[in-house]
Amino acid sequence: MALNASRDDLAAGAIFVAFGSFFALEAMKYEFGTPFRMGPGFMPILLGGILVALGIAVAAKGFGKPETGSGPAWPWRGIVLVLGTILFFAATIRGLGFVPVVLTTALVTALSSRRNSWLAALVIALGLTMLCYLIFVVGLGMIVPLFGPWLSF
Amino acid sequence: MDLVSSLALGFSVALDPVNILYCFIGVLLGTLVGVLPGIGPTATIAMLLPITFTLGPATALIMLAGIYYGAQYGGSTTAILINLPGESSSAVTAIDGYQMARQGRAGQALATAAIGSFFAGSVATLLLAFFAPPLARAALNFGAPEYFSLIVLGLLVSIALAHGSILKALAMIVLGLLLGMVGQDIYTGTPRFTFGVRELFGGLNFVAVAVGVFGIAEILRNLENETEREVGVKKVTNLWLTREDFGRIWAPILRGTGLGSVLGILPGGGHILSSFASYSAEKRLSKNPQEFGKGAIEGVAGPESANNAAAQTSFIPLMTLGIPAHPVMALMVGAFILQGITPGPNVINEQPALFWGIIASMWIGNLLLIILNLPLIGLWVKMLSIPYRVLFPAIVLFACIGTYSINQNIYDVYAIAFFAMVGYLLIRFGCEPAPLLLGFVLGPLLEEHLRRAMIISRGDPMIFVTRPISATLLLLALAAVLVAVLPAIRRKRQEVFVEDD
């Protein structure tokens, strides 16, 4: 692109502006109060405004900076698989129980690295499931069903 | 109160067999994560916080503290043997340490690092024992305005010491402060930013934030570019230093200890800054500066002592004021709170056994570290050959299970994924994650003290400048920002942090 600006700075600025405006707009719904007795909305509106301003400033400073190349490639496979398994873990830990969830999480996470073959991932997953079972369930007495209610027939 | 009886009390706590055991586990884990690049003490302590629930307060904090200073030791091992700092603070050690290893003097480099660290750790712990009580006494007179100003000072100084853009660091702090406001308002009970989700009424779980931003985001970062580490040195022999070596290292160790002790108190990256400062000081003072970068033993001794001293003294603001100096200390605040103790000036009087026990345990921990690191160095060299592709699934799993087990709250696990993504994007776009976590932990405190101060003053903001202590603190904060933006210092900062990315 012929944009004479640091894309990193623009992106970072945009994230800050997005967060700042979210917090400030959402806080409009709460009581603002007075400086003497600040309401729940006072600080978030103030800080949200500051964050928007800082975000704009970050982006503005990015203009005129030479583009330093596009950086390393996005690790899409890692992002999707790692974050996906964390969401999967949260969604199913209660229903499926410890063993199936931990096993699946470990297997899929291991596969997010291109360097792991299926066999290696399976070995890693089995080993880690055992390890986590020993540490958290046996060692620390974590209360969690090994096989959850979704799996009882 | 005399120091001797306090320390005796401390040692009676620290020498309890259970506490020695957990101190050992702490320094062992610390060394391990220090040795393994890709996982640092911040993420480790965050993941292990849930595990410490079942322990008593002293035992839990002794172990967590051990992880932190143990990581400073372990980081130097990796730096020396494979030229890859396990911890950012040992980046400098890699310069000359790795050169020594290539010349077959890896053993001497490791021994120097261990001796320097041990000496510095012991001295800095003594300083902590000396200076903490009077500081805590002074802090007892602090009211809401003083605390507000102190937090502002802490946050702003941490920017001055952070690397990279100051604007971005400021924005990260403000973002952290805002994230800290999620949950019920302390005065009115109004739920804020919770999307009606009951589980969020208590606020975002800081373990989830820390694990996401420091642990998982780092994994994503490493998946960008997968390479295996190469261990250049397979075997370490001859740890003994010659008389000549001792002659060369004692002065750098002393100077490094002094520098590190002072800089460690500063919020932000005090331990990182101190190792860089020590390295440049040694280079300037040396009779043969051309040796630096080619395996000068002084270049290992000074910075290693400095970063370990700083690691110890960075406990001072936490233990006396309840204000964390950097993300690891922020997690320690969390550990105190989870144990039902509010960190601050009262801890020393209300929980003397805990306070002195932690301090005394640092000596024991440092002693354990030297035992762990020198004779067992072969074990750590083996550890280096664990491939990352095995390591990171373990990190992801520990993060999920650990966070979930705190409150059995699945929203905490969703939060990990969210903060991992946000953290990864921000890090990729050149923002430092540390200020965000500091802001997040200090956000609720900042708001509480600000609102309380304004109620005291009936809405007059002048209260912050008319009270002398508060005004002084704010002036210092202003000075810190000014110093950071001055062009001459900016250039220096870039020089100092340039090798730290």
Side-chain angles (χ1 to χ4, degrees), chain B residues 303-328:
Chain B
E304 272 307 302
S305 315
N307 77 36
N308 227 55
Q312 282 340 324
T313 54
S314 61
F315 279 88
I316 290 180
L318 172 77
M319 305 270 270
T320 56
L321 307 170
I323 304 293
H326 54 86
V328 173

Side-chain angles (χ1 to χ4, degrees), chain B residues 340-353:
Chain B
I341 301 164
T342 315
N346 287 318
V347 174
I348 190 167
N349 295 321
E350 285 165 13
Q351 310 260 2

Side-chain angles (χ1 to χ4, degrees), chain A residues 19-144:
Chain A
F19 268 105
S21 37
F22 163 74
F23 277 105
L25 291 178
E26 182 72 15
M28 297 279 187
K29 295 181 195 154
Y30 315 134
E31 196 199 327
F32 189 74
T34 61
F36 177 18
R37 286 199 186 283
M38 293 182 192
F42 195 99
M43 284 288 275
I45 290 179
L46 193 70
L47 289 173
I50 295 176
L51 187 56
V52 170
L54 285 171
I56 294 171
V58 167
K61 270 195 90 170
F63 279 104
K65 251 192 222 173
E67 174 65 76
T68 48
S70 50
W74 290 85
W76 287 117
R77 179 175 164 144
I79 292 175
V80 171
L81 290 183
V82 170
L83 298 187
T85 45
I86 295 174
L87 298 178
F88 166 80
F89 182 97
T92 58
I93 181 74
R94 287 197 183 143
L96 288 175
F98 189 83
V99 174
V101 172
V102 170
L103 197 63
T104 322
T105 309
L107 184 69
V108 180
T109 325
L111 283 173
S112 64
S113 163
R114 288 204 172 78
R115 292 174 166 266
N116 277 328
S117 63
W118 272 92
L119 183 68
L122 201 63
V123 173
I124 293 171
L126 284 172
L128 282 178
T129 309
M130 274 301 287
L131 187 71
C132 289
Y133 172 75
L134 287 177
I135 294 178
F136 287 98
V137 181
V138 178
L140 295 167
M142 180 182 169
I143 301 161
V144 59

